[in-house]
Amino acid sequence: MTGYYDSHDSAPADDTEQPATEHGMSRRQLMRHAGWFGGAVVLTVASGEVISRIADSRETNSMAAAGATTPANSSLRFVQVSDSHIGFQGPANTDVVGSFTEAINQVNSLGFRPDFVMHSGDLTHLSTAGQFDQVKQMLTGMQTDRVFTVPGEHDSIGDAGRAYRKTFGMGTLGDGWYSFDTHGVHFIALVNTLSLEKLGHLGNDQIDFVRKDIAGLSSDTPIVVFSHIPLFAMYPKWGWSTDDALKVIALLRRFSSVTCLNGHVHQLFTKTDGNITFHSATTTAYPLPKPGRAPAPTPQVVPARQLKDALGIRTVGYRQGDRELAVKDQRLA
């Protein structure tokens, strides 16, 4: 396996028939998904179809107490955290180190030891050596054997990601992409935050990597793809999409179960497209506005008592031999 270090070192079927907005989604999809932002959403992914429901805080707490984060006999359980923005200073969150510490403590209090933790980008806010060192040291507090990462655009300010790769890129290819296998699942970690014009961008070298990487895999192999910027057109007006993602999506169409997990947008969002399900994660730092609800995606100031409701972590479980992933998002509160 590559690209990690030792830590102790959905929409209704008829949505496709609705007129699309200029942002690539129907108005019904936007309205339906908008209700999920900032909440704890329990999602079951089965054969490419997402069944979702809002979980209130009492249900979330009781599920956690009962150890029901994933099915009891699940053989793979991992955690996704995202957008810690270590180094951010602003009224939207005056203590991002403190909130990321709480997220780490929440991971360590899940009642099980995750097989790995994935940080899906914007580890830092300004890409400084000190910020990279600080977040790496914090990640060693995760009670897991392996921590994987992909970079966000805030992790490559002014240096095309060199400082990020020096800290987190050991064993990766190109600009930091890689893949690995565990528990019968094939994982692909992509970098779409370099060469930014407006949208995310993968580039031909990375697309060729994916093509060769999956060439020998059986079509019934579950695939999980990590990226920072969404691989679907969530809201291109704000850059919340990847301009050449369809080339990778086309390569993944032959697989019966594909799950794409991203960060960047600082809020929960789910979209299903045939056999492929996309899940955007929330943040541990500060909320961003819902698509189109503000002039730009700038940090949102909310009452202090409500901030943790907008922050959180994600747990994912998979039972080897099945075609199901169980995805659960829970608030930091």
Side-chain angles (χ1 to χ4, degrees):
M1 297 181 186
T2 58
Y4 73 91
Y5 63 90
D6 189 306
S7 66
H8 301 288
D9 177 323
S10 109
D14 62 353
D15 277 350
T16 57
E17 301 173 1
Q18 300 300 313
T21 67
E22 61 176 310
H23 312 298
M25 297 193 69
S26 72
R27 298 187 185 280
R28 179 182 297 181
Q29 286 174 316
L30 274 174
M31 292 178 66
R32 176 179 173 85
H33 295 313
W36 298 349
F37 290 100
V41 182
V42 179
L43 301 151
T44 300
V45 185
S47 302
E49 181 178 359
V50 177
I51 301 171
S52 61
R53 57 191 173 87
I54 301 293
D56 63 26
S57 58
R58 290 174 297 177
E59 180 184 17
T60 300
N61 292 337
S62 65
M63 290 178 70
T69 311
T70 55
N73 57 350
S74 135
S75 59
L76 169 66
R77 289 183 289 191
F78 67 88
V79 171
Q80 180 190 6
V81 296
S82 198
D83 296 271
S84 52
H85 285 273
I86 298 302
F88 172 81
Q89 296 180 343
N93 187 343
T94 58
D95 185 14
V96 293
V97 171
S99 57
F100 191 46
T101 298
E102 289 193 46
I104 293 171
N105 292 339
Q106 186 165 345
V107 172
N108 295 341
S109 302
L110 287 171
F112 64 89
R113 184 182 180 90
D115 291 285
F116 66 86
V117 173
M118 166 60 77
H119 193 305
S120 51
D122 280 354
L123 296 91
T124 70
H125 196 65
L126 296 173
S127 306
T128 68
Q131 290 171 8
F132 279 121
D133 181 67
Q134 184 174 14
V135 72
K136 181 174 182 178
Q137 292 302 314
M138 294 181 74
L139 287 171
T140 64
M142 296 277 195
Q143 293 180 9
T144 183
D145 292 331
R146 298 171 292 169
V147 175
F148 295 91
T149 64
V150 293
E153 76 280 6
H154 282 267
D155 300 317
S156 56
I157 297 176
D159 71 345
R162 286 187 293 273
Y164 164 83
R165 291 191 295 275
K166 181 178 179 181
T167 307
F168 294 102
M170 182 177 298
T172 62
L173 303 172
D175 290 323
W177 55 80
Y178 57 96
S179 66
F180 62 96
D181 296 274
T182 184
H183 294 76
V185 181
H186 187 69
F187 293 87
I188 306 172
L190 300 178
V191 178
N192 58 356
T193 54
L194 303 178
S195 304
L196 291 176
E197 293 290 336
K198 181 177 181 181
L199 304 179
H201 184 73
L202 296 166
N204 290 333
D205 289 347
Q206 193 166 192
I207 294 169
D208 286 342
F209 158 73
V210 174
R211 180 181 294 107
K212 296 173 183 176
D213 180 65
I214 64 176
L217 297 178
S218 169
S219 60
D220 61 0
T221 303
I223 306 290
V224 176
V225 182
F226 293 107
S227 67
H228 182 64
I229 297 174
L231 295 177
F232 66 99
M234 178 175 173
Y235 202 67
K237 184 176 180 179
W238 284 354
W240 290 1
S241 185
T242 301
D243 59 12
D244 53 356
L246 288 179
K247 295 180 180 179
V248 166
I249 298 304
L251 296 173
L252 299 174
R253 289 290 183 196
R254 72 177 179 89
F255 293 94
S256 57
S257 177
V258 179
T259 305
C260 298
L261 304 176
N262 67 269
H264 188 58
V265 302
H266 291 217
Q267 53 200 274
L268 302 177
F269 197 96
T270 295
K271 174 181 171 64
T272 302
D273 181 4
N275 61 319
I276 302 176
T277 305
F278 304 88
H279 295 291
S280 294
T282 189
T283 171
T284 69
Y286 52 81
L288 292 177
K290 301 173 185 178
R293 299 288 183 88
T298 55
Q300 299 294 287
V301 178
V302 299
R305 65 183 180 277
Q306 297 178 14
L307 178 59
K308 290 182 182 179
D309 285 339
L311 312 181
I313 66 172
R314 165 176 289 156
T315 61
V316 182
Y318 173 72
R319 184 175 57 198
Q320 192 167 6
D322 284 359
R323 289 169 51 194
E324 297 184 0
L325 290 173
V327 180
K328 177 172 174 260
D329 294 286
Q330 55 191 86
R331 297 180 176 97
L332 197 61

